[in-house]
Structure formats: structure tokens, C-alpha cells
Amino acid sequence: MPKVNLYATFRDLTGTSHLEVEGRTVGEVLANLVQAYPKLKEELFEGEALAERVSVFLDGRDVRYLEGLSTPLAPEATLDLFPPVAGGALTRNFGAFPAWLLEEYLASWGGKRLEEGLYALPGAKVRFAEAEPLKVGSLSVPQLWVEVEGEEAEAWFNRIAFAASRGGG
């Protein structure tokens, strides 16, 4: 059964951060999730479509760049649901900045891994996942979606941006 990780307000609306939800596609899992937690419907959907303000990642990839709600799921799949960014959070895609390197930086800065793609730093939380690669002609550059929120979000975001611009050097 697919696993669903819920963040921020989605966690508040369900009272949990992890669920297992029946479904063979992203759409079926989200429909079953809404059936169990009706308050999620207005947060996740605009009519029948996934709301633009919501980020849904399948094993680290944005489902919008896969097959959307029709994306098939393996029983061991993991969906990460991120609500709209509000007040104090900074978000950006960083090109050619692998997740493993960001994790090394976060650990060296005293970050604590809370779960895959989520670290706690003093005064902030950092979430990250693979984003759609940037494509220019035949060139494809991997991208990493990063969100930093909390009282110290700006300082940590700037530190991450600097580290990403150095390319690990």
C-alpha cells in the first residue's frame, strides 16, 4: 500500500505525518485520502484538478512532470504532499545540486535528519525533493526543489544558495 508523507498544514488537518493509503494511481490515493479527511479536498484540488499551489512528489519527483493524477503507483511508493508555501518560507529550484550534497551540508551545519527530504536546523526546517530537470536543447540539468521555513529561514536559505552556487567546492 502506498505511503503518504504529509507536511505542515496537511499534517495539522489529518493529525498525522505518515499514512498508508490504498490506490493504484496518484489520483486514487488522493481521492481515498480526501474520503478519510474531507477537509483536505479544498486544499488539494481545484475542481477535479490538482491545485497549482500544492506540491505532490512521487519518490522525490513532482507528479506534474510524470503523468499527473494518472501516475501509476507501486505498492511500496511514497508520496510527499506539501501545502502552499505561506509566511516565512522560501522556495527555489537549484540546478546541478544533488540531494546527497545538500544533506552533507545540512549535517555539517548541525542539521538533524527528521525523515527523507526533511531536516531541522536551529530556527528552521529544510524540505527538499528532486524537481523536473531543466532542459535546454539536448542538455538536461537535474534540479533540486528546496524549501526553508522558520524564524531563521532567510539566513539558512542564503547559506544553502551560496553552497549550491559553489557546486560543492
Side-chain angles (χ1 to χ4, degrees):
M1 184 174 328
K3 179 180 174 184
V4 179
N5 294 323
L6 302 155
Y7 298 92
T9 55
F10 292 154
R11 183 181 302 136
D12 296 340
L13 290 171
T14 61
T16 187
S17 59
H18 307 288
L19 293 166
E20 288 190 4
V21 182
E22 289 281 340
R24 293 179 304 207
T25 66
V26 171
E28 286 178 13
V29 166
L30 295 181
N32 290 334
L33 187 61
V34 165
Q35 186 174 9
Y37 300 94
K39 291 180 183 178
L40 287 175
K41 184 171 183 166
E42 66 186 51
E43 299 295 325
L44 288 171
F45 294 98
E46 291 172 351
E48 298 298 315
L50 185 62
E52 281 296 318
R53 65 187 178 275
V54 173
S55 296
V56 178
F57 292 91
L58 168 60
D59 297 325
R61 304 238 11 233
D62 189 328
V63 299
R64 285 183 178 85
Y65 302 109
L66 299 172
E67 296 176 48
L69 295 176
S70 299
T71 303
L73 299 175
E76 68 279 0
T78 299
L79 288 177
D80 293 291
L81 275 61
F82 294 97
V85 177
L90 301 166
T91 304
R92 178 175 161 194
N93 284 348
F94 293 96
F97 189 46
W100 67 264
L101 182 56
L102 175 60
E103 289 188 273
E104 283 190 14
Y105 279 121
L106 294 172
S108 73
W109 298 333
K112 301 276 189 256
R113 186 177 194 262
L114 302 177
E115 59 190 57
E116 187 173 337
L118 179 62
Y119 274 74
L121 290 164
K125 286 191 178 175
V126 178
R127 291 179 180 85
F128 54 94
E130 289 180 23
E132 178 188 20
L134 175 63
K135 294 183 181 189
V136 180
S138 63
L139 177 66
S140 180
V141 178
Q143 293 195 97
L144 187 66
W145 172 84
V146 178
E147 176 188 73
V148 184
E149 66 180 351
E151 294 174 12
E152 299 296 322
E154 187 173 357
W156 285 114
F157 188 82
N158 290 337
R159 193 165 185 185
I160 291 167
F162 181 71
S165 71
R166 295 178 54 208

